[in-house]
Amino acid sequence: MGIIEIIQQGENKNVEFKSWINSNKKNLINTLTNEAVGFANTNGGIILVGVEDNGEITGCYDYDEQNIIESIYDKTMPKLFTDIEEIKYKNKYILKIIVEKSPEIVATSKGVVYKRLGKNTKPFYPSEYTTNKILGFKGDYSANIIDSTTKDDIDFAEVERLKLKIQSRDKDSTLYQSDNIMFLKDLRLIVTAEYAIRLTVAGLLFVGTKAAIAKYAPQAEIIILTYSDGYTEYNKRLELKMPLIQSVERIQQFFEDRNGIQNIQMGLFKLEVEDYPINVFQEALLNAISHRDYESNASILVKFYPNEIIIENPGAFPSGVDSSNIITHPSSPRNKLIAETLQKLKYVQRSGQGVDIIFKDMLSLGKSAPEYNLFSEAVSLTLRSNLEDIDFLKFITREEEKNGEFSVSEICILKYVKSNKTITLAKAAEVAQVTRQSASNVLNKLCQKRNILQREKRNKYMFTHRVYESLDDSVEYTKDKDFDEIQAKAMIIDYLEKNGSITRVDVERLCGFSSTSSKRILKRLRDEKIIILKGRARASHYKLN
């Protein structure tokens, strides 16, 4: 059914309309969270943002799709994963938020539960729940209860370590103030029934004794292999069968001891570039832990080669995820409870897979893109340490100093233009793994900076000549300089017609030119008697002749 047909049928138990233009954005996020919780606790549904209650399409503007997804994720418990589809209708944009039915009761972060009743969202009270016990659910093996476990299987020294981590890392949290049993219950690492304590799979992996882990989850090990030369035989093997946080810290120390640094000269200072950014390796490792198939007998393998790291993980990607959408596909971790616990311990700072962080940081440091290989029962990720493109590293560093940090979409697009000189709208959508509309927005944003990209022709973009000059690409600089200056001439005349006068500094900002280029184009316009100079020194400015 098309979007117009859905709107014409009006709101119902599966469809909700929300206005964008008449809403306080903070209040709107809270409302969207409540509606999403209601749908998740009923039969799922869609929220159409940019549509009034009467079905009038008023549209959305200046929105951040990722922020909406993350806000709903952060404001729900257990964390609710939603998806957003951007729909254009008569030059107006509707955001279609898709909410799947949850296999367990979902509440807001304030502890309020809702359900869908007809076309309204109503409070959902405990007496109406089919069950108040968390027994694990399909799709989250880590939330299953291990019936034969007892209190004796808990390593309470490890519990205290987790409490100290939360206390030091999350000043707003009160979790660590509870006694040990309540702390574990709040994290859903244990359940209690008739005075008996049972560990969930996540509980076993986070706070189980080594003996309990070996007994109930012997497959839950991480193996580190190191290779000196070649790819055939390793020279060191380390098997980790211990609580997850202990394993993570052991691997992180192992990684840091081997992570080298290369100094890159940039003007008067040196830029230290690590072989592998620490946050990239951490995201990759935590993804493996959150997404691995704990029912598989295979282990997570972390292989350290002289110039690359390969992480092999048992368990295929979720349905619908492949190499063409891995950056932007909404996260759906196989082990949600493990992922949520890592987030509460502040090992994961945000919702989502972290794949975008891995791509962005590797590419912006002039390294090759992460390589994912997908198999029927496993996934491998390869990270390479070699500096593939030092010029791109310097370029991104300089631009971010001036304009702030680039997004992963911007980095992917800029990297492609650096390698291929130009990019079309279709190719931009492909390399950034976003819709054409989103790609158009990113390209327009880069063009608005006027010193990064410019439009060569309809739906085709390239670097400005200033960028080619900074990249020391004399051929492209010469070819594109004339194009830039022709375009700049029209822009300056248009500016003067609207504003009356312009300064050299205005030209630099307007056209993205250096001081030298701005002086040159202004002199050319004066020689052609198109503009005249008024005033002197700092008071000097230009007007149309």
Side-chain angles (χ1 to χ4, degrees):
M1 185 182 297
I3 190 67
I4 300 305
E5 294 176 273
I6 294 174
I7 294 173
Q8 288 175 346
Q9 291 185 8
E11 294 176 316
N12 55 53
K13 65 179 181 179
N14 301 115
V15 179
E16 177 69 23
F17 300 159
K18 288 298 171 192
S19 172
W20 178 271
I21 62 172
N22 296 322
S23 302
N24 174 283
K25 298 307 175 282
K26 182 178 180 180
N27 293 338
L28 177 60
I29 289 294
N30 291 331
T31 300
L32 294 177
T33 300
N34 296 344
E35 299 291 353
V37 167
F39 281 129
N41 288 330
T42 315
N43 294 312
I46 60 173
I47 307 170
L48 299 180
V49 187
V51 181
E52 306 299 316
D53 287 342
N54 61 3
E56 179 186 2
I57 299 174
T58 50
C60 304
Y61 59 91
D62 292 337
Y63 50 82
D64 185 336
E65 299 172 41
Q66 184 65 24
N67 180 60
I68 295 173
I69 293 174
E70 292 190 9
S71 295
I72 294 175
Y73 178 95
D74 291 333
K75 290 177 178 291
T76 51
M77 182 63 64
K79 301 304 182 184
L80 187 58
F81 293 83
T82 57
D83 196 5
I84 290 186
E85 181 181 346
E86 188 183 59
I87 300 171
K88 184 176 182 181
Y89 178 75
K90 293 185 177 179
N91 294 322
K92 293 180 181 178
Y93 294 97
I94 302 170
L95 298 181
K96 179 182 177 183
I97 303 176
I98 304 165
V99 185
E100 300 291 342
K101 179 180 179 179
S102 173
E104 64 174 351
I105 301 300
V106 179
T108 68
S109 55
K110 295 182 178 179
V112 183
V113 182
Y114 295 96
K115 66 177 180 180
R116 193 74 176 174
L117 185 63
K119 64 179 183 179
N120 295 316
T121 297
K122 298 289 186 180
F124 194 14
Y125 299 103
S127 60
E128 299 174 285
Y129 301 174
T130 55
T131 176
N132 288 325
K133 296 180 180 179
I134 300 172
L135 299 175
F137 50 92
K138 183 179 179 181
D140 186 2
Y141 180 77
S142 66
N144 283 314
I145 298 165
I146 306 175
D147 289 330
S148 51
T149 53
T150 68
K151 183 177 179 180
D152 294 337
D153 293 314
I154 300 174
D155 182 348
F156 283 99
E158 190 66 15
V159 176
E160 292 293 341
R161 290 183 71 241
L162 298 191
K163 291 174 73 173
L164 287 174
K165 288 187 182 296
I166 292 179
Q167 182 180 5
S168 63
R169 296 178 177 185
D170 189 355
K171 302 303 181 183
D172 296 326
S173 176
T174 58
L175 277 171
Y176 66 90
Q177 297 175 356
S178 305
D179 62 64
N180 288 337
I181 297 301
M182 186 57 66
F183 171 76
L184 294 175
K185 286 182 65 176
D186 288 342
L187 289 177
R188 298 196 296 143
L189 300 181
I190 65 170
V191 296
T192 57
E194 298 179 355
Y195 306 104
I197 292 177
R198 301 285 183 265
L199 284 130
T200 60
V201 172
L204 175 72
L205 298 177
F206 276 103
V207 298
T209 64
K210 291 183 181 179
I213 293 173
K215 178 180 180 180
Y216 297 109
Q219 75 279 17
E221 70 173 348
I222 304 175
I223 298 176
I224 300 175
L225 303 173
T226 62
Y227 300 77
S228 56
D229 294 302
Y231 291 80
T232 55
E233 296 184 3
Y234 56 83
N235 55 27
K236 187 173 183 179
R237 176 187 176 100
L238 181 62
E239 298 179 359
L240 302 177
K241 294 183 179 181
M242 57 184 66
L244 283 177
I245 297 306
Q246 289 186 35
S247 295
V248 168
E249 292 177 348
R250 184 80 175 271
I251 297 169
Q252 185 171 340
Q253 186 61 54
F254 195 90
F255 163 78
E256 291 176 354
D257 290 343
R258 288 159 178 76
N259 197 23
I261 292 177
Q262 184 173 346
N263 289 303
I264 304 299
Q265 192 71 42
M266 290 194 61
L268 298 179
F269 79 97
K270 288 185 177 180
L271 180 66
E272 291 188 346
V273 181
E274 297 171 316
D275 288 343
Y276 310 94
I278 293 176
N279 63 315
V280 165
F281 179 75
Q282 178 174 299
E283 288 287 347
L285 178 62
L286 296 179
N287 279 350
I289 290 171
S290 298
H291 289 268
R292 74 150 286 174
D293 182 359
Y294 284 97
E295 294 182 280
S296 169
N297 290 324
S299 304
I300 295 175
L301 297 178
V302 184
K303 300 179 178 179
F304 288 89
Y305 294 97
N307 296 309
E308 63 185 37
I309 296 174
I310 299 178
I311 299 177
E312 297 178 357
N313 196 38
F317 272 163
S319 176
V321 180
D322 56 40
S323 56
S324 68
N325 63 9
I326 190 172
I327 300 177
T328 54
H329 195 285
S331 176
S332 180
R334 179 178 279 107
N335 303 287
K336 287 175 63 178
L337 184 52
I338 288 177
E340 291 166 10
T341 305
L342 287 170
Q343 186 181 42
K344 289 173 184 175
L345 292 170
K346 298 302 178 182
Y347 279 91
V348 180
Q349 298 297 326
R350 54 190 286 280
S351 64
Q353 291 174 286
V355 173
D356 53 349
I357 291 177
I358 295 173
F359 270 83
K360 176 181 178 297
D361 287 7
M362 291 296 284
L363 290 175
S364 62
L365 287 176
K367 299 180 183 294
S368 60
E371 181 182 323
Y372 281 90
N373 289 304
L374 315 182
F375 306 97
S376 60
E377 298 297 332
V379 176
S380 75
L381 167 63
T382 302
L383 303 173
R384 296 182 174 87
S385 62
N386 293 335
L387 270 174
E388 182 183 72
D389 193 339
I390 294 178
D391 288 339
F392 189 69
L393 161 65
K394 292 180 177 180
F395 162 62
I396 292 298
T397 302
R398 284 192 294 262
E399 295 302 327
E400 290 191 331
E401 285 179 351
K402 297 176 184 177
N403 302 313
E405 191 171 339
F406 288 114
S407 67
V408 62
S409 296
E410 291 172 329
I411 289 289
C412 290
I413 289 171
L414 292 173
K415 175 64 174 177
Y416 183 91
V417 177
K418 170 65 168 57
S419 301
N420 298 277
K421 307 303 182 186
T422 63
I423 192 169
T424 63
L425 176 59
K427 179 56 71 171
E430 179 185 331
V431 300
Q433 298 186 10
V434 296
T435 64
R436 285 201 176 199
Q437 181 58 51
S438 295
S440 177
N441 292 340
V442 174
L443 289 165
N444 288 337
K445 183 178 178 181
L446 290 171
C447 286
Q448 285 168 9
K449 295 178 181 178
R450 299 200 184 282
N451 57 355
I452 307 295
L453 283 188
Q454 63 187 13
R455 193 185 299 271
E456 182 185 39
K457 58 180 73 171
R458 178 176 173 82
N459 292 336
K460 191 173 183 180
Y461 304 79
M462 64 184 185
F463 281 145
T464 63
H465 81 273
R466 183 193 65 78
V467 173
Y468 284 122
E469 184 180 19
S470 72
L471 292 173
D472 197 25
D473 191 332
S474 57
V475 174
E476 293 297 331
Y477 169 71
T478 302
K479 183 179 73 174
D480 294 319
K481 182 176 69 174
D482 292 340
F483 176 89
D484 267 8
E485 293 189 356
I486 292 171
Q487 190 179 53
K489 178 178 176 180
M491 291 167 62
I492 292 170
I493 293 173
D494 182 64
Y495 184 94
L496 286 169
E497 289 175 346
K498 293 178 180 177
N499 298 280
S501 66
I502 193 170
T503 67
R504 179 181 56 77
V505 174
D506 290 333
V507 173
E508 290 180 28
R509 294 172 180 169
L510 180 67
C511 304
F513 283 173
S514 64
S515 174
T516 302
S517 296
S518 298
K519 290 177 182 177
R520 184 175 62 251
I521 190 67
L522 288 168
K523 183 178 183 304
R524 179 177 297 180
L525 289 171
R526 289 178 64 194
D527 292 343
E528 295 174 1
K529 300 188 184 302
I530 295 174
I531 62 173
I532 56 176
L533 173 64
K534 294 285 186 178
R536 291 185 175 183
R538 294 185 178 180
S540 63
H541 57 280
Y542 301 86
K543 291 189 173 185
L544 286 173
N545 187 3

